[in-house]
Amino acid sequence: DVQLVESGGGSAQAGGSLRLSCAASKYHYSTYSLAWFRQSPGKEREGIAAIDSDGSTTYADSVRDRFTISEDHANNTLYLQMNSMKPEDTAMYYCASDPGGDLTAVRALGRISQGLFGYWGQGTQVTVS
């Protein structure tokens, strides 16, 4: 199984920045995709950024040009750099993985669907005021 542990959440001022990290246990797939999701109370979980093993990325409109997803493959760590943050970014943030999958299905759907990712972290809270 893949184990994921998020860190880096906390509080930020509107217009500020935070960087989230997600440490993944090692798994031996040459093709994989990783993603960040977020969920606010009373709202559905939203896929906001994804990256695959080729380095291709995709973003939800709500975070495009403000957030950047990246990966340090050597250290099995996924990152989410969040800039120009807004109060509406307040949510629990989760990382997720799809070992063996690329972003083909994500692009076909036109969104980062949680059903495409089988492994999840416990989440880290982000609050923007």
Side-chain angles (χ1 to χ4, degrees):
D1 286 354
V2 176
Q3 296 180 339
L4 304 169
V5 180
E6 302 95 337
S7 62
S11 299
Q13 296 289 327
S17 300
L18 280 176
R19 188 176 80 157
L20 304 182
S21 300
C22 174
S25 60
K26 283 190 176 183
Y27 52 90
H28 304 285
Y29 293 90
S30 59
T31 301
Y32 56 85
S33 55
L34 301 164
W36 286 99
F37 289 76
R38 67 185 182 185
Q39 188 169 23
S40 303
K43 293 188 177 181
E44 291 187 358
R45 190 168 295 188
E46 174 191 21
I48 58 173
I51 187 169
D52 69 13
S53 47
D54 289 335
S56 296
T57 59
T58 189
Y59 296 91
D61 290 343
S62 57
V63 305
R64 186 175 291 114
D65 298 328
R66 297 189 301 121
F67 291 8
T68 302
I69 188 171
S70 62
E71 185 206 7
D72 180 349
H73 182 66
N75 292 305
N76 296 311
T77 304
L78 178 70
Y79 298 102
L80 184 69
Q81 178 66 44
M82 304 185 290
N83 298 329
S84 302
M85 298 185 73
K86 305 175 181 179
E88 49 264 45
D89 294 323
T90 296
M92 184 72 78
Y93 283 70
Y94 301 88
C95 64
S97 74
D98 175 23
D102 57 18
L103 295 183
T104 300
V106 169
R107 293 197 172 93
L109 282 174
R111 61 188 178 89
I112 304 167
S113 170
Q114 59 179 320
L116 299 174
F117 295 86
Y119 296 93
W120 294 81
Q122 294 299 307
T124 186
Q125 178 68 39
V126 171
T127 302
V128 185
S129 59

